[in-house]
Amino acid sequence: MTTTNVARLLKQSDIPFDLLSYPVDEQDLSAQNVARKINYPLSSIFKTLVLETDAHQYVFAVISGEEEVSLKAVARAVSAKKTHLVPMKDLKQLTGYIRGGVAPIGAKKPFPVLLSHSALNQEFIIISAGKRGLQVKLAPDDFLRFTNGIVFMNR
């Protein structure tokens, strides 16, 4: 199985994880589709969104596949007035990742990581391994510790 920067970095840090692979459907990169393909509940699939604040700070918001991101909640969490999603065309240049493969680990630059409070109810979370078709399953506490992440109320 292909390894990624995400898997390498977690392994180097002795963070326990499982690498899950699935066939990619370029027409449907949704968390729902990933959940179906790897046979895990949608509540355990976490998507990584890249946002920019009014102060031009970037941040990763990692939220459950069941959630929509609250721009106001992200802004509050990073003490900004406003945030907006980074346009898809800018993702690769900014993070080194493409849509459907954005990970909060191993990006070009280490942006602050926000993790939705819903992750705390999970035994494990499943995030992108940095490549379409690969996911990493790990404990929320390990994820927070590794990324120096902050839990935020996504509402």
Side-chain angles (χ1 to χ4, degrees), residues 42-139:
L42 185 57
S43 60
S44 66
I45 308 296
F46 279 70
K47 52 193 176 184
T48 301
L49 304 172
V50 184
L51 295 96
E52 182 180 13
T53 71
D54 52 342
H56 305 295
Q57 174 191 13
Y58 295 100
V59 62
F60 288 118
V62 182
I63 63 172
S64 162
E66 296 179 323
E67 298 176 283
E68 291 297 320
V69 71
S70 164
L71 299 177
K72 287 182 179 177
V74 172
R76 263 194 319 273
V78 294
S79 302
K81 287 186 179 82
K82 289 183 172 180
T83 61
H84 65 270
L85 286 167
V86 167
M88 258 190 284
K89 65 178 177 52
D90 298 339
L91 286 176
K92 176 106 170 121
Q93 177 192 349
L94 205 55
T95 67
Y97 296 125
I98 58 172
R99 179 175 171 259
V102 175
I105 296 170
K108 275 185 173 181
K109 295 185 180 116
F111 302 133
V113 175
L114 301 178
L115 179 64
S116 170
H117 68 286
S118 65
L120 302 182
N121 302 326
Q122 303 292 327
E123 182 183 336
F124 56 84
I125 61 172
I126 298 172
I127 62 167
S128 173
K131 181 179 178 183
R132 289 178 181 170
L134 280 179
Q135 299 283 308
V136 171
K137 176 181 161 189
L138 72 167

